Amino acid sequence: MIRVTDLTKAYRTEGRVHRALSGVSFSIAKGEKLAVLGRNGAGKSTLIRLLGRVELPTCGLIEETMSLSWPLGLQGGFQGSLTGNDNMRFIARIYDKPFAEIREYVEDFAELGKFLSEPVKTYSLGMRARLAFALSLAIDFDCYLIDEIIAAGDQRFQRRSYEELFEKKADRSLILASHVGEVVKAYCSRALVLNRGRGSLFDDIDLALQVYNEL
């Protein structure tokens, strides 16, 4: 179970306080798929970053009884001067996973070949995204955070990513921030609609999409 209670995030910009999220509450059970809908600037990415502990909330509570991933595809956590292999080794130590097991998975999934032995700062944006996404999936979390659908790599890589997330890991929970109604309807059973930082929870996906489209 993940329970979010009265979550608020405020930023101070140009002497003014902007509330990206204001009193958002919801819960998600093991195996459940929750969509997060909202227009640009509604607070979707902010919510995903808070859940992934990339940022801390201004106030409110996030309670977890199952393991929660960092936001899938997050590239900011890489040390650029280290190789892809060294970054994998670092993650393996943090999560107490065998490095050989993670490396085998990432090598097969990301298909970066010899570039895994090169510093990450030499990678293109696409290569960094493939490494980040593969490394995210290499750790077996109970719940995965996804900020927008997979856009890294070619169509084959995207197809494999969908299969891994939505088919092979179908028993895992997902919190999916997306603008794509077809994906939300296909994979999510509930939705949180954000508007100006406030959230409304829907058990009816069609109704949630209707509300979102009318924002």
Side-chain angles (χ1 to χ4, degrees), residues 129-141:
R130 290 168 73 107
L131 175 61
F133 194 82
L135 187 51
S136 299
L137 291 178
I139 307 296
D140 205 19
F141 294 105

Side-chain angles (χ1 to χ4, degrees), residues 34-38 44 47-48 175-179 191-194:
L34 177 71
V36 180
L37 302 171
K44 301 187 304 300
L47 176 60
I48 295 294
I175 299 177
L176 169 65
S178 179
H179 289 287
L192 177 72
V193 179
L194 294 176

Side-chain angles (χ1 to χ4, degrees), residues 3 13 28 42 46 56 64 108 120 130 132 143 147 156 163 176 180 215:
R3 181 178 288 108
T13 57
I28 179 169
T46 299
L56 296 175
E64 308 165 19
D108 174 68
V120 170
R130 290 168 73 107
C143 181
D147 190 2
R156 178 174 176 273
E163 290 173 355
L176 169 65
V180 184
L215 292 177

Side-chain angles (χ1 to χ4, degrees), residues 17-195:
V17 175
H18 167 66
R19 286 199 172 196
L21 293 173
S22 184
V24 173
S25 298
F26 65 91
S27 62
I28 179 169
K30 193 168 185 177
E32 196 171 13
K33 277 74 173 171
L34 177 71
V36 180
L37 302 171
R39 298 299 179 189
N40 290 335
K44 301 187 304 300
S45 294
T46 299
L47 176 60
I48 295 294
R49 290 197 301 271
L50 293 178
L51 291 170
R53 310 295 189 183
V54 177
E55 297 184 34
L56 296 175
T58 303
C59 61
L61 191 62
I62 301 173
E63 300 173 278
E64 308 165 19
T65 58
M66 57 184 180
S67 60
L68 189 62
S69 79
W70 60 82
L72 261 67
L74 178 69
Q75 302 176 42
F78 287 136
Q79 170 54 253
S81 61
L82 298 179
T83 66
N85 285 323
D86 287 338
N87 274 281
M88 281 190 275
R89 188 174 286 107
F90 178 70
I91 293 295
R93 288 175 180 170
I94 290 177
Y95 287 93
D96 194 26
K97 301 292 184 182
F99 168 65
E101 181 181 307
I102 289 180
R103 178 177 177 174
E104 180 180 3
Y105 182 94
V106 173
E107 281 182 337
D108 174 68
F109 199 89
E111 298 181 332
L112 292 173
K114 65 180 182 180
F115 290 104
L116 289 173
S117 299
E118 300 294 331
V120 170
K121 65 183 178 183
T122 66
Y123 289 14
S124 67
L125 288 177
M127 291 167 63
R128 288 174 67 99
R130 290 168 73 107
L131 175 61
F133 194 82
L135 187 51
S136 299
L137 291 178
I139 307 296
D140 205 19
F141 294 105
D142 294 322
C143 181
Y144 289 90
L145 300 172
I146 311 170
D147 190 2
E148 296 301 337
I149 59 173
I150 306 104
D154 54 22
Q155 287 187 348
R156 178 174 176 273
F157 182 81
Q158 292 180 31
R159 184 170 61 251
R160 291 186 67 196
S161 298
Y162 270 90
E163 290 173 355
E164 188 70 24
L165 262 179
F166 299 120
E167 296 177 18
K168 294 183 181 179
K169 296 184 183 294
D171 61 332
R172 305 309 164 95
S173 301
L174 293 176
I175 299 177
L176 169 65
S178 179
H179 289 287
V180 184
E182 292 81 2
V183 173
V184 169
K185 290 181 71 171
Y187 299 111
C188 297
S189 56
R190 298 166 68 218
L192 177 72
V193 179
L194 294 176
N195 184 28

